[in-house]
Amino acid sequence: MKKSKQLIIGTLLLFLSLFEVGYALSSSTLNINGTAKISGSLDVQFSDVTTTSNATASLSSDNRILTISNVVLNNPGESATVNFKIRNMGSQDAILNSFTFTGNDDADILITFPSFQEGEVLTGLTGERDNSIVITWNPTSYVAEKTIEFSAVLNYQQQL
Amino acid sequence: MRKSEKVTIGVVFGVMLLILGLSVGYATAFSQVLTINGTANVSQRNFVVKFKSATSKNLVTGSSAQVTSDDTVTITAPLTKPGDSETFDIVIENAGSLDAVLDSFVIGEITSDGADAETLQKLKNDVKVETTGFVAKSDLTAGNTVSGTVKVTWDANSTNQYSKDVAANFTVTFNYIEKQ
C-alpha cells in the first residue's frame, strides 16, 4: 500500500513538472530596448574678439557677456572698433528671437551696432556670424568730455 | 494382476485422459490471440516566436537598429532638435510549429540613467514612442511574420532645453503565448 502511494505521488509530481515545462515553452517575451539620445544643448557664445588699439574688450567665463571698455577717443571723428563672432557651439539650431540696443541714441558718441535681424538662424555646431561695433566721436560734436554706456542684448532661442 | 488393480489403473488412465482432454480443449476452445496494430506519429511541438529583423529608416543621422538576440532588439535614435523623429521597421517571426497570439505589448516609461528628476520629467514630456502594425490579441500563425514600426519623436512643440546630452531609454515588450 505504501509503495503504491509513493508511485501515485511520484506520477503526479512528474505530471506537474511536465505541465510546467510545457507552459514555459508556450510563451515568449520579446523586448525592444530603445534609446533616444537627446543632444539638446543650446550654446550660443561670443568668440574671436579683437579691438582697435584705442579700446579693450573682454569675455565672461561663459563667453556670453562681452564687455567693451577703455575706449579712448581724443578728437571728434575718431572711432574705435570691436570685432567679434557669435557662434552656435550647441547642437541645436538657434534663432535670434529678439534684441535690444541701448546707448545708441547719443548725439556726440555714435554707436553702430551690427544689423541684426529677428529670425536669423545660427545652425547647430557650425553657425557663426561676424560682427563689428563701431564707437565714433561725432565729427560735428563740440562736447569736451563725455562718457556714455551702451549695451546690446541678444536673445537666442532653440529653433522649433 | 488382480481385478481391483486393473480397475485402479483404468481409473488413473481415465483421469489422465480427462485432464489431457481439458488441456487440449482449453488450448483450442478458450485461447485467443489479441493483436494491436498501431501507428504513432511523433512531431516536435515547439513554440518559437522571435525577432527576424530590425532596420532604421535613417531619418536622422546616426540612428541604428539591431537584432541582438532572438528576443531582443536594440534601437538608437539621436535626436538633435524638437520635431526630430526616427522610425524603425520591426519584423517578428513565428518560427515554431505552434500558432501564437500577441497576448499583450507594452511601451514602457521613459527612464534615464543619472538624470535628475527635472531632466527626467522633461524627457518624459518630450520623447514620444509609438508603434504601428502590432495589435494585441492578434494571431501569429506558425511560419508567418508580422511587421510593424516603432517611432521615436522629440515633441515638435517642446520648448525644453537641456544643458547637456541625455539619453532617454525605453522598452517595448511583446508577450506572445500559444494560441488556444
Side-chain angles (χ1 to χ4, degrees):
Chain A
M1 181 64 77
K2 188 177 179 183
K3 199 170 186 179
S4 64
K5 276 185 179 175
Q6 287 175 342
L7 182 63
I8 291 170
I9 291 169
T11 304
L12 285 173
L13 286 172
L14 180 63
F15 174 75
L16 289 172
S17 297
L18 287 172
F19 182 78
E20 286 176 3
V21 170
Y23 178 77
L25 288 174
S26 298
S27 69
S28 182
T29 300
L30 311 180
N31 285 303
I32 297 175
N33 298 320
T35 301
K37 292 181 178 175
I38 303 293
S39 51
S41 58
L42 181 70
D43 188 7
V44 182
Q45 301 182 7
F46 293 116
S47 70
D48 301 288
V49 181
T50 60
T51 68
T52 51
S53 60
N54 54 348
T56 59
S58 61
L59 290 174
S60 61
S61 58
D62 62 1
N63 296 328
R64 293 197 174 91
I65 299 174
L66 169 61
T67 302
I68 300 169
S69 57
N70 301 322
V71 178
V72 179
L73 305 176
N74 293 316
N75 297 295
E78 277 192 12
S79 66
T81 302
V82 179
N83 299 307
F84 61 94
K85 289 179 184 277
I86 296 175
R87 298 178 63 187
N88 186 351
M89 309 292 284
S91 57
Q92 295 183 11
D93 293 348
I95 186 169
L96 181 58
N97 190 48
S98 64
F99 57 91
T100 305
F101 296 152
T102 62
N104 58 337
D105 53 356
D106 189 87
D108 299 308
I109 301 176
L110 308 177
I111 308 296
T112 305
F113 287 111
S115 56
F116 292 104
Q117 299 290 325
E118 289 184 2
E120 286 180 1
V121 174
L122 292 175
T123 54
L125 300 177
T126 59
E128 64 178 33
R129 186 188 201 284
D130 291 310
N131 312 275
S132 294
I133 294 177
V134 180
I135 305 115
T136 305
W137 187 346
N138 190 340
T140 62
S141 170
Y142 295 100
V143 67
E145 184 174 347
K146 190 170 189 178
T147 300
I148 68 164
E149 293 181 347
F150 58 91
S151 69
V153 177
L154 308 171
N155 179 21
Y156 282 93
Q157 290 191 342
Q158 165 186 319
Q159 188 182 30
L160 302 179
Chain B
M1 182 176 295
R2 289 179 296 184
K3 189 178 179 181
S4 62
E5 288 177 335
K6 288 180 180 175
V7 170
T8 301
I9 291 170
V11 169
V12 170
F13 273 106
V15 170
M16 289 177 67
L17 280 174
L18 180 63
I19 292 172
L20 193 60
L22 282 173
S23 299
V24 171
Y26 177 79
T28 57
F30 296 107
S31 70
Q32 290 180 334
V33 176
L34 305 181
T35 303
I36 297 173
N37 295 316
T39 301
N41 290 319
V42 177
S43 62
Q44 189 176 10
R45 288 165 49 86
N46 57 350
F47 188 85
V48 181
V49 178
K50 62 180 186 177
F51 288 115
K52 185 177 183 182
S53 66
T55 55
S56 168
K57 289 187 179 295
N58 292 318
L59 302 176
V60 295
T61 303
S63 66
S64 64
Q66 186 179 11
V67 178
T68 46
S69 67
D70 282 351
D71 60 2
T72 307
V73 158
T74 302
I75 58 178
T76 303
L79 306 177
T80 59
K81 62 182 182 300
D84 275 1
S85 73
E86 184 59 275
T87 301
F88 301 92
D89 292 320
I90 308 293
V91 180
I92 295 174
E93 174 186 29
N94 185 344
S97 61
L98 300 172
D99 291 344
V101 175
L102 178 55
D103 190 46
S104 63
F105 74 97
V106 178
I107 300 173
E109 273 201 341
I110 296 293
T111 62
S112 183
D113 296 337
D116 57 35
E118 182 184 359
T119 301
L120 179 59
Q121 190 57 52
K122 287 181 184 175
L123 290 173
K124 287 181 176 180
N125 293 337
D126 286 352
V127 178
K128 307 299 180 189
V129 181
E130 304 165 280
T131 63
T132 63
F134 300 109
V135 180
K137 308 303 178 188
S138 62
D139 293 350
L140 179 55
T141 52
N144 285 317
T145 61
V146 60
S147 299
T149 64
V150 175
K151 183 179 182 182
V152 187
T153 304
W154 186 347
D155 186 355
N157 296 318
S158 171
T159 57
N160 288 325
Q161 295 187 5
Y162 298 88
S163 58
K164 60 181 181 180
D165 293 358
V166 289
N169 302 314
F170 59 91
T171 301
V172 185
T173 301
F174 300 85
N175 182 29
Y176 278 94
I177 61 173
E178 180 181 349
K179 185 180 179 183
Q180 300 299 311

